[in-house]
Amino acid sequence: MNDQHAIGIISTGSYLPANVVDNEEVARRAGVTAQWIERKTGIRQRRRAASFEATSDLAAAAARCALAQAGLDPERISLILVATSTPDHPQPATASIVQSLIGARNAAAFDVNAVCSGFVFALTAAERMLRAEPEDSYALVIGADVYSRILDHSDSKTAILFGDGAGAVVLGRVPTGQGTLSSSLLTRGDQHGLISVPAGGSRRPASAATLAEGGHFFRMDGRGVRGFVQENLPQAVRALLAKAGTAAGEVHHFVPHQANGVMLGEVWPGLGLDAATCHLTLERLGNTGAASIPITLDLVHRQGAFAEDELLLVSGFGGGMSVGSVLLRWAATTHARPSAAERQDAPLQLVLAG
């Protein structure tokens, strides 16, 4: 690999809606208690988008934050990928709306839907596409979801988990040896029924019947999802590290999809990342879908917790069913060092120490 082909994260950004929703409010509608929610998920709070905010609004705000940290004009961006499973509309792509909102007139823009794995899938696609672009090209990769709009708030299996938010990273050229070192994407389509929104597409178009039966709400087989993650995430992490020729003990930081704190606590010992810190933001933000990894990256980065050249492993898992992981050597500390004010303002995150 040479300098021309080393691609990495050079800045981060995020946006969290102002409305904080605690477990008491969620519990009342779901028919459970606040204590039960925390015991089952590790979540205490989540954010909820305002009535006037759509996914593109959250995504654009996170993108502006990442661009500001990098000191880049939006017209310098050549590629925008938005990972979301809660788009503004079935069409056009939410990414095209984001392009317009931020004034990135020279960028190609499209969406990626791998549900909660979407950011990792989009990051991998953007990194590979950017290698073919001129040396001074940049890409915006955004994860954004507004799950509050597709939840059945009386369903205790799903309503307790999700929050709204957006996170973004800017990708660009970095020195040799930094940036993305290896990536791995996996889909198990035979298990796609574990997570779904059954109606509203070409198979079951919207109708009075689908509305009456709640077919447009998010549905999840929680036990099946847990089993999928417990089986596939450790295998995917081991395979990626072997592919990269990296020992598990060399990894400094692990940033997973913020699905469920209890589930992550159960799977964590089997990953073999004993020397790494597992960064969790879900206690205060819940599961923000494709946004959870980039939001966590941004909050941890702005606290100054990532050092230059440290190894980071990010892993997403979600509907499809899908698993995606990326191993990278951190470069954004030099490219865009967070200010002391940013570190002070960033919410504290929980960690699982190795």
Side-chain angles (χ1 to χ4, degrees):
M1 181 181 293
N2 55 44
D3 285 353
Q4 184 178 359
H5 293 145
I7 306 294
I9 294 172
I10 66 169
S11 72
T12 63
S14 61
Y15 174 75
L16 299 170
N19 185 21
V20 177
V21 178
D22 60 22
N23 282 348
E24 283 74 15
E25 180 177 340
V26 174
R28 283 194 298 270
R29 301 181 68 179
V32 295
T33 66
Q35 294 75 21
W36 184 86
I37 294 174
E38 185 175 353
R39 187 173 71 252
K40 290 288 186 179
T41 69
I43 297 168
R44 294 184 179 182
Q45 297 177 332
R46 71 283 294 147
R47 301 295 182 96
R48 186 167 295 165
S51 60
F52 56 83
E53 290 179 313
T55 297
S56 62
D57 298 309
L58 276 59
R64 294 187 190 103
C65 185
L67 288 169
Q69 190 184 87
L72 280 176
D73 186 284
E75 294 191 359
R76 299 284 303 281
I77 299 297
S78 61
L79 181 65
I80 299 173
L81 273 66
V82 173
T84 186
S85 53
T86 59
D88 284 21
H89 331 91
Q91 58 177 283
T94 298
S96 66
I97 302 169
V98 173
Q99 183 215 37
S100 176
L101 288 173
I102 67 174
R105 298 174 182 83
N106 298 313
F110 61 93
D111 290 355
V112 173
N113 183 357
V115 195
C116 294
S117 300
F119 175 77
V120 178
F121 276 60
L123 184 70
T124 301
E127 182 263 336
R128 294 176 182 178
M129 293 176 69
L130 201 58
R131 288 177 183 272
E133 295 296 314
E135 189 169 343
D136 61 347
S137 298
Y138 298 93
L140 257 175
V141 183
I142 306 165
D145 272 310
V146 183
Y147 265 85
S148 62
R149 305 282 164 76
I150 62 170
L151 291 177
D152 175 355
H153 292 280
S154 67
D155 179 9
S156 62
K157 293 181 294 186
T158 58
I160 65 175
L161 292 169
F162 290 92
D164 303 335
V169 300
V170 174
L171 296 183
R173 295 298 193 278
V174 296
T176 299
Q178 290 188 331
T180 301
L181 304 179
S182 188
S183 59
S184 174
L185 306 178
L186 170 72
T187 301
R188 299 293 188 198
D190 58 315
Q191 299 185 56
H192 72 272
L194 292 177
I195 292 175
S196 68
V197 177
S202 61
R203 185 168 299 280
R204 299 192 64 205
S207 66
T210 62
L211 288 171
E213 70 186 34
H216 301 268
F217 290 133
F218 176 87
R219 300 297 183 195
M220 180 176 68
D221 177 347
R223 182 171 297 180
V225 170
R226 186 182 297 263
F228 174 86
V229 174
Q230 290 174 336
E231 177 183 356
N232 288 279
L233 183 59
Q235 292 179 7
V237 167
R238 288 193 291 269
L240 176 63
L241 292 175
K243 176 182 174 183
T246 301
E250 297 178 65
V251 178
H252 298 92
H253 302 277
F254 180 57
V255 180
H257 166 49
Q258 311 286 302
N260 177 313
V262 174
M263 181 178 69
L264 287 169
E266 292 171 350
V267 76
W268 167 248
L271 299 180
L273 302 173
D274 298 336
T277 298
C278 177
H279 295 275
L280 301 180
T281 54
L282 58 85
E283 180 186 29
R284 294 172 65 174
L285 302 180
N287 177 344
T288 52
S292 76
I293 289 175
I295 288 173
T296 304
L297 283 171
D298 183 50
L299 298 183
V300 178
H301 174 43
R302 289 175 189 273
Q303 289 179 331
F306 299 147
E308 191 79 357
D309 287 325
E310 286 188 329
L311 284 178
L312 274 67
L313 177 62
V314 300
S315 292
F317 45 87
M321 294 291 290
S322 55
V323 178
S325 297
V326 175
L327 180 69
L328 54 92
R329 193 173 296 280
W330 193 246
T333 300
T334 293
H335 285 272
R337 186 179 300 276
S339 69
E342 285 176 324
R343 294 192 188 109
Q344 185 177 1
D345 291 342
L348 292 176
Q349 82 278 2
L350 298 174
V351 297
L352 290 174

